Amino acid sequence: QKEVEQNSGPLSVPEGAIASLNCTYSDRGSQSFFWYRQYSGKSPELIMFIYSNGDKEDGRFTAQLNKASQYVSLLIRDSQPSDSATYLCAVNGIDTGGFKTIFGAGTRLFVKA
Amino acid sequence: EAEVAQSPRYKITEKSQAVAFWCDPISGHATLYWYRQILGQGPELLVQFQDESVVDDSQLPKDRFSAERLKGVDSTLKIQPAELGDSAMYLCASRVTSLGDNEQFFGPGTRLTVL
């Protein structure tokens, strides 16, 4: 059973701080990794994706991937109250029928003003 | 901007009744997914279509759930009969193709409450 694990939180950080969200996955054949943000009662929206080992930066967000450790993280710099949401880690791998995406349960982030 | 459309947005039904959800993916997206998301959990794949064909329905409770995408465009997910445990958000998503890495776009979801 392919799994994606996240700490459910809540992770609480003060406004302006760095929030660090972590995700581990079980399938070594996984090829691409996505971070989605989901506000309460809303559908997930893509923040970032990463395919290669190392860091990928987009504005205040940095995704980090370490395939040897089967670990992917999301850093949010200068956290804002509007960043308060659940962050879902999603992992793509080859399965029957093509790429299959498995989601983690999400980490709830709370940014205190 | 192109979006995935879903209806209804909210549905309240009594157990043993039938319910149906509709999804219209982004134009040109060959791959369509139906997910179920229970509060506090991540989305769980129910069924994946490539055009009009089902490529993965291993997690679909086939005794009560059915899904179709007859012309390879819009899709319907049906539950009959509904049970209390079916209360959840039902999300539809689409992507250009499942045969490469590309983003899934989610619709707004249908919130189902079974009484």
Side-chain angles (χ1 to χ4, degrees), chain A:
Chain A
Q1 179 78 2
K2 299 175 183 177
E3 295 181 342
V4 177
E5 300 286 342
Q6 295 182 255
N7 188 320
S8 63
L11 173 65
S12 183
V13 300
E15 183 175 359
I18 296 175
S20 178
L21 305 164
N22 305 315
C23 172
T24 59
Y25 57 94
S26 62
D27 181 14
R28 283 197 171 275
S30 299
Q31 301 193 359
S32 53
F33 308 85
F34 300 80
W35 282 100
Y36 287 85
R37 177 176 61 200
Q38 186 173 29
Y39 292 112
S40 181
K42 304 295 184 182
S43 59
E45 54 179 332
L46 184 70
I47 298 175
M48 290 192 69
F49 58 87
I50 186 167
Y51 303 144
S52 304
N53 277 329
D55 295 358
K56 180 181 179 182
E57 186 175 320
D58 184 0
R60 295 187 296 113
F61 300 95
T62 299
Q64 299 174 319
L65 175 62
N66 184 326
K67 290 187 177 181
S69 300
Q70 296 174 241
Y71 175 90
V72 59
S73 65
L74 179 70
L75 300 178
I76 306 175
R77 290 182 300 280
D78 188 24
S79 296
Q80 301 298 308
S82 59
D83 295 326
S84 298
T86 295
Y87 289 80
L88 299 167
C89 174
V91 175
N92 265 13
I94 297 279
D95 204 333
T96 54
F99 280 78
K100 185 169 184 175
T101 305
I102 299 176
F103 285 83
T107 298
R108 286 183 296 145
L109 173 66
F110 180 60
V111 181
K112 298 176 291 185

Side-chain angles (χ1 to χ4, degrees), chain A residues 31-32 34 36 38 41-46 51 88 92 95-106, chain B residues 33 35 37 40-43 45 48 55-56 58 89 91 95 98-104 106-108 111:
Chain A
Q31 301 193 359
S32 53
F34 300 80
Y36 287 85
Q38 186 173 29
K42 304 295 184 182
S43 59
E45 54 179 332
L46 184 70
Y51 303 144
L88 299 167
N92 265 13
D95 204 333
T96 54
F99 280 78
K100 185 169 184 175
T101 305
I102 299 176
F103 285 83
Chain B
Y33 305 86
Y35 291 92
Q37 187 175 24
Q41 299 182 17
L45 179 68
Q48 175 184 342
V55 295
D56 186 351
S58 57
M89 175 80 88
L91 294 163
R95 71 197 315 172
S98 70
L99 300 179
D101 279 343
N102 48 83
E103 177 185 353
Q104 286 190 46
F106 283 87
R111 170 73 65 186

